[in-house]
Amino acid sequence: MTSCGLMHGSVSDKLSQKLTYGKSTIDVVYSCYADLPGIYADVQVVWNEPRSILKLEINPSGARAPVVAMQCAAGSVNRPADGNELPLHQWLWVPTGDRGLAIVQKGATACDCLNGRVRLTLIRSSLYGFEDNREVFAIDPQHDTDIGPRSFRMQFIPNEGFNVSRLDQG
């Protein structure tokens, strides 16, 4: 189920979206500000789906480069856009020709990129320390990770040149 609402003001325009999935809810507010570049997304999730993953997928126009640039300790690193999941720090830059799409975010922990598709991993509700499909016994004190409320903030800046110091500022 999805519902949307639109708000318009002199400083910002906002679009709100409410989604449900299973027993979970996702509330997103997209904002455009008069004096700031890009689109902001504030995401509030109440996740109640054990052993599942929630990803936000975007498909930037013209994004077919074999590498993406990502923040790493003390700088940036180019990583292959081969579909493998990569750890995500504060920002990701996806080339779209001679410019790119900058994604500055807080809360997502990983991403994967392939054929122009970018997916940010928001929720990974697995059993803590349990990575295979063996039977879990009822008396085993295992706990699901990432269950309950989570929040994320993202800024999508299209047509952005690659500039590490600008991206590090958020």
Side-chain angles (χ1 to χ4, degrees):
M1 184 178 86
T2 302
S3 65
C4 294
L6 184 62
M7 299 163 269
H8 177 69
S10 60
V11 175
S12 69
D13 292 324
K14 296 182 183 285
L15 172 67
S16 66
Q17 185 177 30
K18 294 184 179 291
L19 305 134
T20 58
Y21 176 80
K23 298 176 185 175
S24 301
T25 59
I26 305 165
D27 294 319
V28 185
V29 177
Y30 304 96
S31 304
C32 292
Y33 296 95
D35 296 330
L36 297 174
I39 298 169
Y40 290 79
D42 290 296
V43 182
Q44 302 295 320
V45 177
V46 178
W47 196 248
N48 294 304
E49 311 304 318
R51 293 193 176 187
S52 59
I53 294 174
L54 175 65
K55 293 191 178 203
L56 172 68
E57 181 175 322
I58 58 174
N59 296 284
S61 178
R64 297 272 180 214
V67 297
V68 294
M70 307 174 77
Q71 184 182 42
C72 66
S76 68
V77 63
N78 287 333
R79 299 274 172 92
D82 59 6
N84 288 321
E85 192 168 65
L86 303 165
L88 182 61
H89 292 264
Q90 184 180 359
W91 59 261
L92 169 69
W93 185 80
V94 182
T96 57
D98 62 339
R99 311 277 302 160
L101 172 69
I103 303 170
V104 180
Q105 65 85 36
K106 181 178 180 182
T109 58
C111 69
D112 60 83
C113 306
L114 182 65
N115 298 328
R117 180 191 71 200
V118 177
R119 299 187 317 165
L120 303 178
T121 304
L122 304 180
I123 304 275
R124 181 183 311 280
S125 59
S126 59
L127 287 178
Y128 183 78
F130 190 83
E131 294 297 328
D132 58 26
N133 290 322
R134 287 179 290 152
E135 182 180 356
V136 177
F137 297 101
I139 61 170
D140 195 359
Q142 297 291 332
H143 300 284
D144 289 307
T145 60
D146 286 354
I147 294 292
R150 298 285 181 268
S151 60
F152 308 89
R153 181 160 178 116
M154 297 161 213
Q155 181 185 14
F156 303 97
I157 310 169
N159 203 28
E160 180 75 7
F162 183 63
N163 181 326
V164 173
S165 61
R166 161 107 169 79
L167 292 172
D168 282 342
Q169 291 174 3

